[in-house]
Amino acid sequence: MRITMIAAMLGAAWCHAASLPVIAIRNATVHPASGPAIERATVVVRNGLIESVGAGAPPADAWLVESPGLHVYPGLTDALSTWGMPTAVARGGAEPPARGPEDRPSNFSWVHSQNLVNPSDRVIASARNAGFTTAVVFPAGAIFGGQGAVLSLAGEKPGQMTVAGSVGQYLSFGTRGSNSFPGSLMGVIAYVRQIYLDADAYRAEKAAYQTNARGARRPDYDRALEGVPESPRILLPAGWAKEIDRMLTFGAELKRPVILYGAHDAARISGKLASAKVPVLVSLKWPERERDADPEAEDQLRVLELRDRAPAVPAALAKAGVKFAFYSDGVERPADLRVAVKKAVDAGLDREVAVRALTLSPAEIYGVSDRIGSIEPGKIANLTVTDGDLFQTSTKVKFVVIDGVKYEPVPEAVPAAREEVK
């Protein structure tokens, strides 16, 4: 790779990150995501933003990057992530058993992920190595997990990482056991419904008090309801077709924009999803038999069918006109995510549509496509540069650019070998 005027100045530090006023990546195949690929194009980055894309000559003041066979993509995005989040959010102690919805159990709607992110978390560097520049990060571990934020995967402080805060409220429908409310799926759904009814009443009561406080009783402060109106959209879990149908009905009842996540069975209901114009986040953790499963146990037919057809779901959604994006869903190594997307490509998903599902589509779903998601002048300079087609097994990430800063992959520590038990 040719890097004019820079190697001598930066030395070994270039292997990690270099903040340069102007960068020009020349004679590359550019995949803008907002249109068809452009051959032998030059992308110019100036002061953290994309200045130009096309066939023109690079500016005279640019640091020039050029190498045969380079491909430039918008920075890859994990559309629903816990990267950089603490393994368990400090809750101020264990929750007491809940007697009913008035106790607001498992509700942390006011928690903001940009306030919790750890910029030095190793998984962030690992994600950059794999070509990811952005993640939509949510707190997890509760029915109302908290507020998600669009974060750049670089920066020394959370404030430097935050592209947009409060982009959605993450809901999980896991039950809490029989000794505490809610102890069943029906109870969780009823509880979520009640929270949104209470939040509407709470907001109306506060507005009325603000309009005419004199002579009126002051509304009680309810922390668990404070974060509910902040969220412009709700993320609801829906893996099986039956669950997707249920969540479409439930989302309409809540009268708020929803995003469905999971979606491994979404092909069977893609027409209804398209009619409802509800976006979908497709898990890249394709269903497979658990490693510690009983080898003599027989799986149900519907489970076997789901494993077989899940990678074909993205192609079916694209054909039906459903907007969708990919998310990691706990896949341990970010480098494995491109391998997972390749399974969808091999199952019929168009390559450029796959690129869009990792870039522009998540930006559109979360309302930040005016800032990120495609290679266009004026947008934040988040780029993923590879030495070949993104979904070829042999392709390597050469470097990423995040907010105009260039990061080359750093070798990751190899886990210590386990001793054999004799």
Side-chain angles (χ1 to χ4, degrees), residues 338 342 386-397:
R338 282 195 295 132
K342 187 178 184 303
T386 66
D387 63 2
D389 179 274
L390 187 63
F391 304 118
Q392 288 291 341
T393 306
S394 59
T395 294
K396 295 180 181 179
V397 174

Side-chain angles (χ1 to χ4, degrees), residues 143 172-178 180 182-188:
I143 296 173
S172 172
F173 284 5
T175 58
R176 294 164 54 85
S178 58
S180 181
S184 66
L185 177 60
M186 183 180 295
V188 171

Side-chain angles (χ1 to χ4, degrees), residues 121-136:
D121 192 326
R122 289 183 180 179
V123 74
I124 291 178
S126 180
R128 284 199 305 264
N129 285 355
F132 285 83
T133 68
T134 313
V136 190

Side-chain angles (χ1 to χ4, degrees), residues 247-319:
M247 290 301 105
L248 287 174
T249 302
F250 189 46
E253 179 187 333
L254 296 178
K255 299 179 181 178
R256 285 168 171 82
V258 299
I259 300 169
L260 304 185
Y261 66 90
H264 282 158
D265 199 26
R268 294 172 53 193
I269 199 168
S270 59
K272 191 166 185 177
L273 280 167
S275 298
K277 293 182 168 56
V278 170
V280 172
L281 307 181
V282 179
S283 167
L284 287 174
K285 191 174 184 178
W286 302 121
E288 57 184 25
R289 188 178 178 85
E290 294 182 8
R291 294 178 182 177
D292 57 352
D294 182 352
E296 296 185 3
E298 294 185 3
D299 292 313
Q300 297 180 5
L301 177 60
R302 71 168 192 153
V303 173
L304 295 173
E305 290 176 340
L306 185 72
R307 290 177 192 161
D308 181 61
R309 63 175 177 245
V313 164
L317 293 177
K319 183 178 180 180

Side-chain angles (χ1 to χ4, degrees), residues 11-33:
W14 178 251
C15 296
H16 300 282
S19 180
L20 308 167
V22 190
I23 302 173
I25 306 169
R26 188 168 68 174
N27 287 335
T29 301
V30 177
H31 305 261

